[in-house]
Amino acid sequence: MTDRIMLSVKDWIESRDFDDVSIDIRKDLIVVSGTVAFKFYYEGYETILSDKFTLKILVYRNYPEKIPDIVELDNKIPDDFHKNGRSLCLGTPLEMLLYANTNCVEAFLDKYLTSYLMSFMFYREYGICPYGDRSHGAQGKLEHLKEYFNVSEEDLVLQLLNLAITNDLGRNEKCCCLSGLKFKKCHLKEVEYLKRSISKHNLEGTYKELSNFVKI
Amino acid sequence: MLELSPTQFLRVQSSYNALANELQKSNASVIVYPQGSIRLGTTIRPFKENKDAEFDVDLVALYPVAKYSVLPQEIRDYVGDVLKNNGTYSSKLSEKKRCWRIDYSQQDDIGFHADIVPAIPEDYATVYKILPKDGLQEFVDSAIAITEKENSDSRAIWCSSNPKGYADWFDMINRKNYSELLEQKRHNIYKDNVDLFSSVEEVPLPLVKSPMQRIIQLLKRHRDVCFSKSPSEKDKPISIIITTLVAETVDKLALNSLNLVELLIETTNALIEAGSLIDDQNYSSYRVRDLLYRKDGEWIIPNPVNTKENFADKWNSNPAKARAFFNWLKAIENDIILNSNDEDFDRILCEKLAITYPDPLQKKEKIITVNKASSSKPWRNQ
């Protein structure tokens, strides 16, 4: 059987500027360690920044169920940037799972790791993330879901999220977002996709966390 | 480096702008502009005595005076005196057949010299005589008269030239075949050098190269390397012949391939057909017959913007030059075309062009373009 995860990891390494790289193949995961150079051109800012990072990338065999973990070994990235212990916080778990569900490891690393490092490098230089970052904790999760559903009210985010758990809106009923459209012509696609990509357990946990947060 | 990088180009440009300023101080009406390969975007580092040599930067210093009001020797001396009396340039100055040369090699690690050609606008009678064929007549307006000295003791005489018209003609063909690509490439150069340029429009056009310009650079380099080991080095084909034949071939055969090797093969094959001329004076069925032909036993490669100028003039007084040209075409066939299907083609090409083959282990640094649409947003739990 072709090891698709391994191939995808190798493709990614091949496409990046690694100084030295080692790949350690273990039973449940692939560990990539090495120093990699990045040079970014920031559109809209017309700026170029470059730097090198020594990273340890853990890609789990059960990707996309479990998303890769990345540790930066030189401590160039301070703890007050988006970090959890030594792991880089690339995005909210839900958004990464949604992306991983339809994209290979190579695409995942290209999007999330690259975006993270380019945001950090710009932040270090100019004090902002060039294309935005998310608030910490539940607020950031809500921000993502607002973008995902393309709505602005928190109540609506919760209702739509709940629909992915309970399934209690018929295709031909009016959508809960009050657009006046039938559900199937409105948010059904996003709700279905969420339901198919994310475990019920995870969705319930997120719903609980966010509804508590919104109440406060 | 075989060609000027954007930074080097800007340094060369500021050197000649400084020179232009000095010339303007003594005569505000002089117009200084680049000509030749630096203007056409076909510059390569010359290769002499088996090693890389200095870049040539050719400039015209045009004084808008009437031809009858000044003698060629006067204008030549005038420019020479201004430079001789200038502290910056006097020690770097030497006189050549058609120009004053300023040697920048000591001052700048790029390694180049600037050739300043004193010139005045061509008179109408001459312009009328050299009028090119229909469709190209507009290019004759920029014809100039330049000075030429047989040797250091003789007095300079006028001869006719039109580097600006030639460059405009070259640009026309280049744009006709590659306008979209050139625009895209210019943008890419800007993106890769945002520290040098504040807008796309600031990227000098000679830095932006179409496959046609690349082929010309490649052939010039091949010529230099090919003849560097040969006793006939002094007879090697001049750059303007290569540039003209490639541009005319691309234009005539409407070649617009973006694949360099393909284009190189197409172009050289068309020229090789013409090679049969050396044995058969009446052969005329080859594809590029208006560009290179024999008439009454004389070789002719017309200047597209000056009907009276024959780039192959010297072939007629020295048949070795014609032989050298056709031998060189054979060498291209052997070195490049016959190897084009080889797996190792890149390495072979580097060898033939005396370029160090890039170490495959050393990857080039890539620039990743990032924008709002493509990026995700970092987030942390607490």
Side-chain angles (χ1 to χ4, degrees):
Chain A
M1 200 186 94
T2 23
D3 187 344
R4 286 178 58 193
I5 294 201
M6 187 66 210
L7 283 180
S8 189
V9 168
K10 279 192 169 161
D11 280 346
W12 184 75
I13 293 171
E14 199 61 35
S15 72
R16 297 273 76 101
D17 297 329
F18 270 95
D19 278 357
D20 60 281
V21 64
S22 69
I23 308 175
D24 182 9
I25 302 169
R26 301 188 203 161
K27 187 166 167 278
D28 296 330
L29 76 165
I30 300 161
V31 183
V32 178
S33 317
T35 304
V36 54
F38 284 97
K39 190 170 189 177
F40 294 114
Y41 169 74
Y42 295 84
E43 254 180 35
Y45 296 92
E46 319 306 340
T47 298
I48 290 181
L49 296 174
S50 55
D51 202 358
K52 284 182 176 183
F53 296 92
T54 304
L55 302 174
K56 187 179 229 175
I57 302 163
L58 288 70
V59 181
Y60 300 95
R61 289 285 184 188
N62 61 349
Y63 178 93
E65 282 163 51
K66 190 163 166 50
I67 49 171
D69 266 329
I70 294 147
V71 178
E72 188 252 325
L73 299 173
D74 287 342
N75 255 324
K76 275 190 181 176
I77 304 174
D79 290 340
D80 62 2
F81 197 68
H82 298 270
K83 270 171 91 174
N84 182 9
R86 287 174 49 191
S87 287
L88 310 182
C89 297
L90 307 176
T92 74
L94 202 70
E95 71 172 298
M96 290 195 287
L97 282 171
L98 283 170
Y99 185 83
N101 213 35
T102 45
N103 290 280
C104 63
V105 176
E106 184 188 1
F108 179 88
L109 292 173
D110 256 348
K111 184 170 179 85
Y112 282 91
L113 178 56
T114 307
S115 294
Y116 181 92
L117 293 174
M118 86 58 194
S119 290
F120 166 68
M121 280 156 63
F122 198 91
Y123 178 84
R124 183 175 53 186
E125 212 65 31
Y126 303 107
I128 55 160
C129 289
Y131 310 113
D133 57 350
R134 298 204 190 287
S135 307
H136 297 334
Q139 182 69 47
K141 292 184 181 183
L142 269 172
E143 285 164 13
H144 160 248
L145 285 170
K146 281 181 188 170
E147 281 171 23
Y148 176 75
F149 289 121
N150 194 16
V151 298
S152 51
E153 299 84 359
E154 288 163 356
D155 278 356
L156 219 44
V157 167
L158 287 171
Q159 281 182 49
L160 288 163
L161 186 58
N162 195 35
L163 281 180
I165 305 165
T166 59
N167 271 327
D168 61 3
L169 190 63
R171 293 171 54 82
N172 290 315
E173 290 179 58
K174 292 258 157 88
C175 186
C176 60
C177 74
L178 303 178
S179 64
L181 294 172
K182 286 180 178 175
F183 185 41
K184 66 178 178 191
K185 297 230 170 201
C186 195
H187 281 99
L188 176 73
K189 206 175 82 197
E190 286 80 12
V191 170
E192 274 298 311
Y193 185 63
L194 204 55
K195 202 167 81 189
R196 272 190 284 119
S197 316
I198 313 287
S199 74
K200 197 169 179 188
H201 176 74
N202 189 340
L203 288 176
E204 282 168 351
T206 309
Y207 180 77
K208 209 171 149 194
E209 184 193 352
L210 295 186
S211 54
N212 281 334
F213 176 76
V214 171
K215 268 185 219 146
I216 305 161
Chain B
M1 287 296 281
L2 277 189
E3 60 176 8
L4 293 167
S5 68
T7 329
Q8 291 175 323
F9 187 92
L10 292 182
R11 266 158 62 196
V12 169
Q13 207 177 37
S14 66
S15 298
Y16 72 66
N17 285 338
L19 179 64
N21 273 337
E22 286 306 315
L23 291 175
Q24 274 157 358
K25 274 185 198 162
S26 69
N27 184 333
S29 60
V30 65
I31 302 160
V32 179
Y33 57 83
Q35 63 152 323
S37 66
I38 191 97
R39 162 70 179 78
L40 301 174
T42 56
T43 311
I44 52 154
R45 188 179 284 286
F47 190 78
K48 284 174 188 158
E49 287 152 11
N50 227 1
K51 58 175 191 281
D52 289 328
E54 281 170 29
F55 283 110
D56 301 301
V57 174
D58 297 318
L59 303 171
V60 173
L62 179 66
Y63 290 83
V65 295
K67 201 172 178 182
Y68 60 78
S69 70
V70 60
L71 290 171
Q73 188 62 45
E74 283 173 346
I75 194 94
R76 165 79 70 128
D77 289 342
Y78 177 74
V79 175
D81 289 346
V82 172
L83 296 171
K84 276 178 207 159
N85 292 325
N86 185 298
T88 320
Y89 300 115
S90 56
S91 62
K92 305 186 180 81
L93 195 66
S94 57
E95 189 169 12
K96 300 282 165 191
K97 192 176 170 195
R98 291 181 167 192
C99 61
W100 291 98
R101 175 168 294 180
I102 294 177
D103 183 1
Y104 286 92
S105 61
Q106 300 305 315
Q107 156 195 334
D108 201 307
D109 57 4
I110 299 172
F112 72 99
H113 57 250
D115 285 344
I116 301 122
V117 176
I120 61 164
E122 190 56 281
D123 65 306
Y124 286 119
T126 313
V127 165
Y128 185 74
K129 270 189 261 166
I130 63 176
L131 211 57
K133 61 184 181 212
D134 286 350
L136 299 177
Q137 298 193 344
E138 53 176 307
F139 297 120
V140 86
D141 293 345
S142 46
I144 54 175
I146 63 171
T147 66
E148 188 174 301
K149 254 178 145 174
E150 261 323 306
N151 56 59
S152 56
D153 300 327
S154 60
R155 291 192 68 75
I157 52 161
W158 289 124
C159 59
S160 197
S161 179
N162 188 1
K164 185 175 179 301
Y166 183 88
D168 290 343
W169 165 83
F170 184 85
D171 282 351
M172 174 191 75
I173 292 180
N174 207 22
R175 273 201 303 270
K176 192 154 79 188
N177 290 281
Y178 297 108
S179 65
E180 215 170 291
L181 180 78
L182 287 166
E183 212 163 291
Q184 191 189 329
K185 288 202 168 202
R186 195 179 191 191
H187 190 81
N188 289 344
I189 294 175
Y190 164 63
K191 261 172 55 177
D192 294 350
N193 298 282
V194 279
D195 46 338
L196 295 181
F197 309 112
S198 58
S199 70
V200 178
E201 289 67 36
E202 266 185 28
V203 178
L205 286 173
L207 282 174
V208 189
K209 304 204 195 304
S210 71
M212 178 175 98
Q213 285 156 302
R214 284 267 174 254
I215 294 294
I216 292 167
Q217 288 180 303
L218 205 141
L219 290 177
K220 281 166 70 177
R221 177 70 181 184
H222 181 270
R223 168 206 60 187
D224 289 349
V225 173
C226 184
F227 282 93
S228 71
K229 299 164 225 151
S230 152
S232 53
E233 185 167 15
K234 60 183 190 321
D235 295 324
K236 71 182 183 186
I238 51 177
S239 294
I240 189 94
I241 287 186
I242 299 177
T243 309
T244 308
L245 290 177
V246 171
E248 298 233 48
T249 306
V250 164
D251 191 37
K252 201 165 180 76
L253 307 183
L255 304 175
N256 54 7
S257 174
L258 299 182
N259 180 312
L260 268 190
V261 178
E262 213 170 88
L263 185 63
L264 179 67
I265 293 173
E266 289 268 3
T267 321
T268 37
N269 272 338
L271 295 177
I272 286 167
E273 279 181 24
S276 44
L277 272 180
I278 198 153
D279 305 316
D280 178 358
Q281 301 217 3
N282 299 314
Y283 188 82
S284 61
S285 66
Y286 60 95
R287 290 178 289 174
V288 291
R289 61 181 169 278
D290 303 333
L291 323 180
L292 165 60
Y293 57 94
R294 289 187 90 169
K295 195 180 168 192
D296 306 328
E298 299 267 286
W299 292 105
I300 298 175
I301 300 174
N303 178 343
V305 295
N306 176 350
T307 34
K308 288 286 175 289
E309 186 170 8
N310 175 12
F311 290 139
D313 211 12
K314 296 222 171 75
W315 294 12
N316 297 318
S317 50
N318 183 0
K321 287 197 190 292
R323 273 197 302 277
F325 177 77
F326 292 106
N327 285 339
W328 173 59
L329 289 181
K330 277 187 205 127
I332 298 173
E333 193 172 20
N334 285 328
D335 291 350
I336 301 175
I337 299 183
L338 295 179
N339 288 321
S340 59
N341 289 323
D342 197 297
E343 266 180 29
D344 243 2
F345 179 65
D346 287 353
R347 197 187 46 73
I348 295 172
L349 192 60
C350 286
E351 189 186 303
K352 299 295 179 195
L353 301 178
I355 305 169
T356 334
Y357 184 60
D359 182 352
L361 293 173
Q362 205 179 351
K363 274 187 237 163
K364 255 180 81 185
E365 197 180 12
K366 302 179 197 75
I367 295 199
I368 306 168
T369 298
V370 288
N371 55 40
K372 197 165 181 77
S374 69
S375 51
S376 61
K377 299 170 182 170
W379 166 89
R380 74 164 153 159
N381 207 3
Q382 287 309 320

